Amino acid sequence: MDVVNLIDPALMQDPFGGFTRIREEGPMVRGSFPGAPPMWLITRYEDVKNVLGDARFVNSPASVPGAEVGNIREQMIAARAIDPDLAPYLLDSILDVDGADHLRLRRLVSREFTARRVIDLRPRMTEITESLLDRLDNETDLIEDFAYPLPITVICELVGVPEADRSAWREQGQAMMTFTPGAVNAPLRAMVELSQDLIERRRAESGNDLLSALIRTHDEDGDRLSDRELIQMLVTLILAGHETTTHLIGNGTLALLTHPDQLDLVKKDPGLWPRAVHELMRWCGPVHGTQMRYAAEDVEIGGQTIKKGEGVIPILVSANYDPRRFDDPERLDVTREQDSRREVHVGFGHGMHYCLGAALARSEAEIAFDALFRRFPDLALAGEPERQYMPMSWRLARLPVRLS
């Protein structure tokens, strides 16, 4: 088939149907972003899991020795007209490095995102949730007034961002969600400056938070965390720590309101929420593709050889709708996941780069859905939801609802 244009409006309008058609035409197809050469799109469940779990696929082209590798992400960033001094903040973070560097950075923060730590945070997450629900008007935009404030409050408290700074982080984070050339520069520069200012304040007045711990690590041993890595880590944690959860809550609420039979099941048995959140992440998860990977050697996938140095993107949405793995995948079924401690879907990825904050995001979503539908059992749509169109994602800009 022809090279798939990943910013094709029709594909962004219906990525579920679009990637389903693409998957059934072949396990691997060529895809492209503006300004970048074609890369392989991996579309079937088993192949996606294999690529994500295979150490022969790496996130950085620097990890491909002895090959002429074009940094496709670097070319995409150039096509988006991102200022050269800002580009490194998007290219060399914990999301982009491999091997020892990835382990070094991940270990610095991973203890704050373990299942045990998340359990300890649940009472505070519940307090934040109930407080936000107390403030809702009867007719409200659930994205603006609940789905955004909950996760950004949680991650900012965990990281150590003062309440007075949070609206600025949220505003700049939302402004980052664009593919318009040059439009990322202003919010990214603002986030770097917010980071630098906050780091200096935290250095002067340390606290019992993740950022203070990272600053101590940086100041005691600069080889473990450089100046730029400290800023990158802060920006990445705050952006990744609220964007996915915001849109999981928004997408999931809309899915349940439009599938009342499934909503009735969890209302009658709230113990189903952990399983329901897994299914919502599979059925309407906000992230549809992973970071670019590169083949560190020739690798055969689905009968096709990916040559050393070629770029690949595992397509999570087509894997999560693959009938080879999921029966009747287009059907929302909150009882589908039999064991909530296991994760069959790949909405949070898989393997070495599995989402660091997955346990936190699931817990926030469970608490949010349970409280929302318990407090407002007659919750209903109050208008047409508005989409925010981005390649490789599914997100709502507005979700107007009526509480009673």
Side-chain angles (χ1 to χ4, degrees):
M1 66 178 297
D2 295 336
V3 173
V4 175
N5 176 9
L6 291 169
I7 65 165
D8 177 4
L11 186 58
M12 289 193 287
Q13 177 73 32
D14 179 20
F16 305 98
F19 280 115
T20 289
R21 290 189 294 273
I22 290 166
R23 182 192 61 238
E24 296 312 312
E25 291 189 23
M28 285 176 38
V29 298
R30 295 294 242 172
S32 69
F33 282 106
M39 72 286 291
W40 290 105
L41 306 180
I42 314 298
T43 62
R44 294 184 182 173
Y45 179 87
E46 288 300 330
D47 294 336
V48 165
K49 285 202 77 171
N50 288 340
V51 168
L52 293 177
D54 191 333
R56 294 175 296 176
F57 290 97
V58 296
N59 280 23
S60 171
S63 302
V64 185
E68 290 293 326
V69 181
N71 188 328
I72 299 175
R73 289 196 69 230
E74 205 168 72
Q75 294 173 54
M76 289 165 56
I77 282 175
R80 293 173 67 187
I82 294 174
D83 292 343
D85 66 311
L86 294 175
Y89 292 103
L90 298 177
L91 287 170
D92 303 315
S93 75
I94 187 174
L95 304 176
D96 307 293
V97 293
D98 302 296
D101 280 336
H102 178 251
L103 285 174
R104 170 178 59 85
L105 294 172
R106 195 172 177 107
R107 283 171 179 160
L108 290 174
V109 296
S110 59
R111 65 178 175 270
E112 294 294 334
F113 297 95
T114 62
R116 181 177 296 276
R117 174 65 170 139
V118 169
I119 289 171
D120 292 341
L121 290 170
R122 282 185 74 99
R124 177 58 185 148
M125 290 191 282
T126 301
E127 286 180 11
I128 295 167
T129 299
E130 297 289 351
S131 176
L132 289 168
L133 293 177
D134 286 342
R135 302 176 204 167
L136 295 182
D137 295 327
N138 189 48
E139 290 202 7
T140 190
D141 173 9
L142 206 70
I143 302 297
E144 177 70 19
D145 298 327
F146 182 61
Y148 258 116
L150 172 58
I152 200 163
T153 301
V154 170
I155 193 63
C156 283
E157 285 194 2
L158 183 65
V159 171
V161 178
E163 188 171 355
D165 294 359
R166 293 172 193 168
S167 61
W169 279 98
R170 177 181 169 187
E171 178 185 346
Q172 302 305 334
Q174 287 177 288
M176 286 277 293
M177 300 299 127
T178 176
F179 263 64
T180 303
V184 164
N185 288 317
L188 179 55
R189 193 172 299 282
M191 294 181 88
V192 170
E193 292 170 356
L194 284 167
S195 300
Q196 292 167 332
D197 176 65
L198 181 55
I199 288 165
E200 289 310 308
R201 283 186 282 149
R202 273 286 173 267
R203 181 172 279 122
E205 188 177 345
S206 186
N208 185 28
D209 52 65
L210 180 53
L211 178 57
S212 295
L214 290 172
I215 290 169
R216 287 192 291 272
T217 297
H218 168 273
D219 293 351
E220 292 166 8
D221 185 358
D223 289 338
R224 290 180 65 199
L225 191 66
S226 70
D227 289 346
R228 191 173 73 195
E229 286 173 337
L230 180 55
I231 294 172
Q232 286 172 325
M233 186 70 80
L234 181 55
V235 171
T236 301
L237 286 172
I238 294 175
L239 275 181
H242 81 276
E243 275 289 329
T244 298
T245 313
T246 289
H247 295 292
L248 172 57
I249 293 170
N251 296 352
T253 301
L254 178 60
L256 291 167
L257 290 176
T258 53
H259 293 79
D261 60 324
Q262 298 302 300
L263 180 55
D264 283 344
L265 289 175
V266 282
K267 281 182 176 180
K268 291 173 182 174
D269 180 7
L272 279 175
W273 279 119
R275 292 166 64 185
V277 167
H278 277 299
E279 174 67 352
L280 292 168
M281 194 65 186
R282 181 198 72 83
W283 195 81
C284 58
V287 181
H288 287 182
T290 72
Q291 293 279 105
M292 182 77 64
R293 263 58 168 187
Y294 299 88
E297 59 185 69
D298 289 357
V299 183
E300 184 173 313
I301 296 289
Q304 173 72 47
T305 298
I306 300 174
K307 295 180 181 178
K308 180 178 180 177
E310 288 189 315
V312 304
I313 298 180
I315 304 298
L316 306 180
V317 65
S318 65
N320 281 334
Y321 274 66
D322 190 344
R324 298 161 188 80
R325 181 61 187 84
F326 299 101
D327 293 335
D328 195 7
E330 288 80 15
R331 178 173 56 88
L332 179 66
D333 178 3
V334 297
T335 67
R336 184 187 298 271
E337 196 85 42
Q338 293 304 305
D339 183 352
S340 63
R341 295 166 298 179
R342 293 180 62 249
E343 196 167 276
V344 178
H345 67 84
V346 290
F348 288 111
H350 177 69
M352 199 63 174
H353 286 270
Y354 177 77
C355 176
L356 183 67
L360 182 65
R362 287 196 303 269
S363 190
E364 287 179 78
E366 291 167 19
I367 291 167
F369 290 132
D370 179 56
L372 179 66
F373 289 107
R374 172 175 44 79
R375 292 273 302 268
F376 308 112
D378 298 323
L379 186 77
L381 292 174
E384 192 67 26
E386 293 179 15
R387 283 274 312 282
Q388 180 184 12
Y389 291 96
M390 291 278 293
M392 309 290 283
S393 70
W394 182 266
R395 53 178 57 217
L396 298 174
R398 290 186 72 252
L399 180 58
V401 297
R402 184 176 298 109
L403 305 185
S404 62

XYZ file of all heavy atoms in Angstrom, residues 226-278:
411
model
N 22.859 15.755 35.042
C 23.425 17.025 34.575
C 22.410 18.156 34.709
O 21.233 17.927 35.006
C 23.858 16.895 33.114
O 22.705 16.792 32.271
N 22.878 19.393 34.472
C 21.981 20.554 34.526
C 20.803 20.380 33.578
O 19.643 20.574 33.953
C 22.742 21.839 34.148
C 23.728 22.272 35.219
O 23.645 21.749 36.343
O 24.586 23.122 34.926
N 21.105 20.048 32.333
C 20.033 19.916 31.343
C 19.119 18.738 31.657
O 17.900 18.830 31.494
C 20.613 19.773 29.936
C 19.538 19.905 28.844
C 20.131 19.942 27.469
N 20.626 18.637 27.070
C 21.447 18.414 26.052
N 21.900 19.434 25.363
N 21.844 17.192 25.747
N 19.699 17.629 32.129
C 18.877 16.471 32.466
C 17.913 16.786 33.604
O 16.790 16.281 33.622
C 19.767 15.284 32.851
C 20.453 14.632 31.665
C 21.449 13.575 32.085
O 21.943 13.621 33.229
O 21.749 12.682 31.259
N 18.322 17.622 34.540
C 17.442 17.998 35.638
C 16.228 18.760 35.116
O 15.084 18.488 35.509
C 18.216 18.846 36.656
C 17.448 19.344 37.890
C 16.797 18.187 38.642
C 18.387 20.130 38.810
N 16.462 19.698 34.206
C 15.349 20.451 33.607
C 14.486 19.526 32.750
O 13.253 19.561 32.822
C 15.887 21.629 32.778
C 16.575 22.643 33.698
C 14.756 22.301 31.982
C 17.313 23.737 32.960
N 15.130 18.689 31.938
C 14.380 17.744 31.103
C 13.492 16.845 31.959
O 12.333 16.591 31.605
C 15.353 16.857 30.312
C 16.042 17.547 29.152
C 17.129 16.650 28.565
O 17.781 15.909 29.292
N 17.321 16.724 27.275
N 14.037 16.366 33.066
C 13.279 15.464 33.920
C 12.052 16.166 34.489
O 10.953 15.605 34.515
C 14.164 14.944 35.054
C 13.505 13.886 35.910
S 13.282 12.307 35.049
C 14.939 11.622 35.213
N 12.225 17.404 34.924
C 11.107 18.155 35.497
C 10.015 18.373 34.452
O 8.828 18.121 34.704
C 11.619 19.490 36.045
C 10.593 20.409 36.719
C 9.863 19.691 37.842
C 11.290 21.664 37.240
N 10.399 18.830 33.255
C 9.424 19.079 32.190
C 8.721 17.776 31.793
O 7.492 17.728 31.652
C 10.115 19.719 30.965
C 9.156 19.763 29.773
C 10.611 21.130 31.301
N 9.494 16.701 31.638
C 8.922 15.418 31.218
C 7.958 14.874 32.257
O 6.857 14.409 31.926
C 10.046 14.396 30.957
O 10.914 14.897 29.941
C 9.467 13.057 30.517
N 8.354 14.924 33.547
C 7.486 14.389 34.598
C 6.162 15.132 34.662
O 5.099 14.518 34.804
C 8.196 14.482 35.954
C 9.335 13.488 36.201
C 10.054 13.828 37.501
C 8.819 12.057 36.234
N 6.207 16.465 34.542
C 4.962 17.227 34.664
C 4.082 17.040 33.431
O 2.868 16.813 33.546
C 5.270 18.713 34.929
C 5.941 18.866 36.298
C 3.981 19.540 34.889
C 6.393 20.261 36.626
N 4.676 17.100 32.243
C 3.877 16.920 31.024
C 3.305 15.501 30.954
O 2.096 15.318 30.809
C 4.730 17.198 29.794
C 4.862 18.649 29.342
C 5.730 18.721 28.093
C 3.513 19.289 29.075
N 4.187 14.508 31.043
C 3.724 13.122 30.934
C 2.864 12.731 32.125
O 1.998 11.865 32.016
C 4.930 12.187 30.822
N 3.087 13.410 33.267
C 2.377 13.056 34.480
C 0.944 13.532 34.549
O 0.208 13.137 35.455
N 0.527 14.376 33.596
C -0.886 14.783 33.639
C -1.599 14.653 32.300
O -2.806 14.424 32.277
C -1.027 16.220 34.168
C -0.788 17.303 33.185
N 0.460 17.777 32.883
C -1.652 18.014 32.420
C 0.362 18.746 31.985
N -0.906 18.903 31.677
N -0.899 14.749 31.177
C -1.582 14.746 29.878
C -2.325 13.436 29.615
O -3.499 13.439 29.252
C -0.571 15.025 28.754
C -0.311 16.499 28.498
C -1.493 17.187 27.844
O -2.226 16.534 27.086
O -1.681 18.394 28.093
N -1.637 12.308 29.781
C -2.281 11.016 29.501
C -3.469 10.787 30.423
O -4.551 10.367 29.984
C -1.265 9.871 29.658
O -0.216 10.043 28.697
C -1.926 8.519 29.436
N -3.287 11.081 31.720
C -4.368 10.834 32.678
C -5.559 11.736 32.421
O -6.721 11.311 32.519
C -3.853 11.032 34.112
O -2.605 10.351 34.260
C -4.848 10.493 35.115
N -5.307 12.999 32.098
C -6.388 13.928 31.758
C -7.279 13.344 30.676
O -8.518 13.318 30.794
C -5.805 15.273 31.275
O -5.231 15.954 32.388
C -6.873 16.147 30.632
N -6.658 12.857 29.616
C -7.453 12.407 28.472
C -7.969 10.983 28.645
O -8.983 10.627 28.029
C -6.649 12.614 27.188
C -6.393 14.064 26.928
N -7.401 14.934 26.607
C -5.267 14.816 27.031
C -6.909 16.159 26.484
N -5.620 16.111 26.737
N -7.356 10.199 29.504
C -7.970 8.919 29.875
C -9.275 9.175 30.630
O -10.292 8.523 30.372
C -7.007 8.102 30.730
C -7.564 6.819 31.354
C -8.120 5.871 30.297
C -6.492 6.126 32.200
N -9.266 10.146 31.554
C -10.491 10.477 32.298
C -11.546 11.063 31.362
O -12.720 10.680 31.414
C -10.162 11.462 33.445
C -9.289 10.770 34.499
C -11.447 11.989 34.082
C -8.711 11.722 35.538
N -11.146 11.975 30.481
C -12.099 12.573 29.547
C -12.672 11.560 28.570
O -13.900 11.434 28.422
N -11.781 10.820 27.905
C -12.231 9.814 26.943
C -13.081 8.741 27.622
O -14.104 8.293 27.085
C -11.025 9.126 26.282
C -10.173 10.063 25.444
O -10.533 11.212 25.212
N -9.024 9.580 25.008
N -12.636 8.316 28.807
C -13.353 7.253 29.507
C -14.738 7.678 29.963
O -15.693 6.893 29.893
N -14.859 8.927 30.431
C -16.176 9.421 30.838
C -17.136 9.440 29.657
O -18.286 8.994 29.764
C -16.057 10.829 31.453
O -15.191 10.769 32.592
C -17.421 11.355 31.877
N -16.661 9.943 28.519
C -17.508 9.970 27.329
C -17.893 8.553 26.908
O -19.050 8.288 26.561
C -16.786 10.692 26.185
C -17.532 10.749 24.855
C -18.877 11.470 25.001
C -16.669 11.436 23.787
N -16.929 7.627 26.951
C -17.218 6.241 26.565
C -18.305 5.641 27.455
O -19.232 4.982 26.966
C -15.944 5.404 26.649
N -18.225 5.875 28.739
C -19.209 5.292 29.663
C -20.577 5.953 29.513
O -21.614 5.268 29.585
C -18.704 5.424 31.099
C -17.487 4.547 31.423
C -16.858 4.963 32.750
C -17.860 3.063 31.448
N -20.600 7.266 29.284
C -21.883 7.947 29.097
C -22.582 7.481 27.818
O -23.818 7.504 27.743
C -21.682 9.463 29.067
C -21.302 10.111 30.409
C -21.029 11.603 30.209
C -22.401 9.902 31.456
N -21.819 7.084 26.831
C -22.407 6.626 25.566
C -22.556 5.105 25.520
O -23.000 4.562 24.500
C -21.562 7.111 24.372
O -20.189 6.733 24.561
C -21.648 8.626 24.232
N -22.193 4.413 26.599
C -22.401 2.969 26.731
C -23.038 2.706 28.098
O -22.385 2.172 29.009
C -21.077 2.201 26.592
C -20.484 2.285 25.220
N -19.787 3.402 24.781
C -20.490 1.394 24.188
C -19.380 3.181 23.540
N -19.795 1.984 23.151
N -24.308 3.086 28.271
C -24.944 3.015 29.597
C -24.984 1.613 30.178
O -25.007 1.462 31.406
C -26.343 3.574 29.351
C -26.557 3.522 27.871
C -25.213 3.657 27.250
N -25.001 0.588 29.339
C -24.993 -0.783 29.871
C -23.697 -1.064 30.624
O -23.704 -1.709 31.688
C -25.196 -1.796 28.744
C -24.108 -1.706 27.672
O -23.652 -0.576 27.374
O -23.725 -2.756 27.126
N -22.578 -0.554 30.096
C -21.295 -0.760 30.764
C -21.182 0.105 32.021
O -20.643 -0.320 33.044
C -20.141 -0.444 29.797
C -20.107 -1.331 28.572
C -19.995 -2.803 28.936
O -19.035 -3.224 29.573
N -21.005 -3.600 28.555
N -21.719 1.316 31.940
C -21.719 2.189 33.115
C -22.545 1.569 34.242
O -22.152 1.622 35.418
C -22.262 3.568 32.736
C -22.328 4.614 33.851
C -20.981 4.800 34.527
C -22.838 5.943 33.295
N -23.666 0.949 33.900
C -24.504 0.304 34.917
C -23.740 -0.802 35.642
O -23.905 -0.994 36.857
C -25.763 -0.281 34.277
C -26.803 0.790 33.959
O -26.681 1.909 34.493
O -27.726 0.495 33.169
N -22.907 -1.528 34.918
C -22.155 -2.620 35.534
C -21.234 -2.102 36.644
O -21.167 -2.691 37.729
C -21.332 -3.362 34.480
C -22.110 -4.221 33.474
C -21.159 -4.792 32.430
C -22.835 -5.353 34.188
N -20.506 -1.009 36.368
C -19.567 -0.512 37.390
C -20.298 0.256 38.495
O -19.821 0.318 39.625
C -18.447 0.351 36.769
C -17.397 -0.525 36.126
C -18.979 1.369 35.782
N -21.447 0.835 38.176
C -22.236 1.466 39.238
C -22.732 0.416 40.232
O -22.729 0.633 41.454
C -23.433 2.214 38.636
C -23.105 3.569 38.029
C -24.378 4.224 37.508
C -24.129 5.614 36.967
N -25.383 6.236 36.455
N -23.157 -0.720 39.708
C -23.669 -1.785 40.572
C -22.550 -2.507 41.315
O -22.761 -3.020 42.415
C -24.482 -2.787 39.742
C -25.789 -2.215 39.209
C -26.466 -3.189 38.259
C -27.752 -2.596 37.689
N -28.361 -3.473 36.655
N -21.376 -2.560 40.717
C -20.241 -3.245 41.333
C -18.985 -2.384 41.192
O -18.197 -2.568 40.263
C -20.023 -4.604 40.670
C -18.846 -5.370 41.286
O -18.297 -4.900 42.309
O -18.477 -6.428 40.735
N -18.762 -1.419 42.099
C -17.585 -0.549 42.013
C -16.253 -1.293 42.057
O -15.232 -0.754 41.654
C -17.738 0.368 43.235
C -19.197 0.356 43.550
C -19.659 -1.034 43.212
N -16.276 -2.539 42.507
C -15.058 -3.347 42.485
C -14.554 -3.625 41.077
O -13.410 -4.072 40.896
N -15.399 -3.339 40.084
C -14.994 -3.522 38.683
C -14.117 -2.386 38.157
O -13.554 -2.508 37.057
C -16.234 -3.621 37.782
C -16.954 -4.965 37.698
C -18.229 -4.815 36.859
C -16.038 -6.025 37.079
N -14.004 -1.274 38.890
C -13.300 -0.115 38.334
C -11.875 -0.414 37.871
O -11.485 0.059 36.779
C -13.327 1.060 39.312
C -14.601 1.838 39.270
C -15.494 2.036 40.292
C -15.154 2.534 38.137
N -16.565 2.790 39.865
C -16.379 3.113 38.547
C -14.740 2.720 36.817
C -17.176 3.863 37.692
C -15.535 3.461 35.956
C -16.737 4.027 36.394
N -11.064 -1.151 38.621
C -9.715 -1.424 38.094
C -9.742 -2.135 36.747
O -8.944 -1.792 35.850
C -9.086 -2.309 39.186
C -9.791 -1.886 40.438
C -11.220 -1.641 40.006
N -10.639 -3.092 36.577
C -10.754 -3.784 35.285
C -11.301 -2.837 34.227
O -10.864 -2.856 33.060
C -11.645 -5.015 35.425
C -11.026 -6.108 36.288
C -12.039 -7.159 36.701
N -12.578 -7.892 35.556
C -13.553 -8.809 35.657
N -14.090 -9.066 36.860
N -13.987 -9.430 34.581
N -12.257 -1.992 34.619
C -12.840 -1.035 33.664
C -11.802 -0.056 33.153
O -11.794 0.294 31.960
C -14.001 -0.297 34.318
N -10.917 0.408 34.034
C -9.879 1.357 33.607
C -8.950 0.711 32.581
O -8.563 1.346 31.593
C -9.099 1.896 34.829
C -7.833 2.626 34.400
C -9.991 2.829 35.648
N -8.596 -0.549 32.799
C -7.799 -1.260 31.788
C -8.522 -1.272 30.441
O -7.917 -1.013 29.385
C -7.526 -2.697 32.235
C -6.374 -2.848 33.163
N -5.086 -2.494 32.828
C -6.305 -3.325 34.436
C -4.273 -2.745 33.836
N -4.986 -3.245 34.828
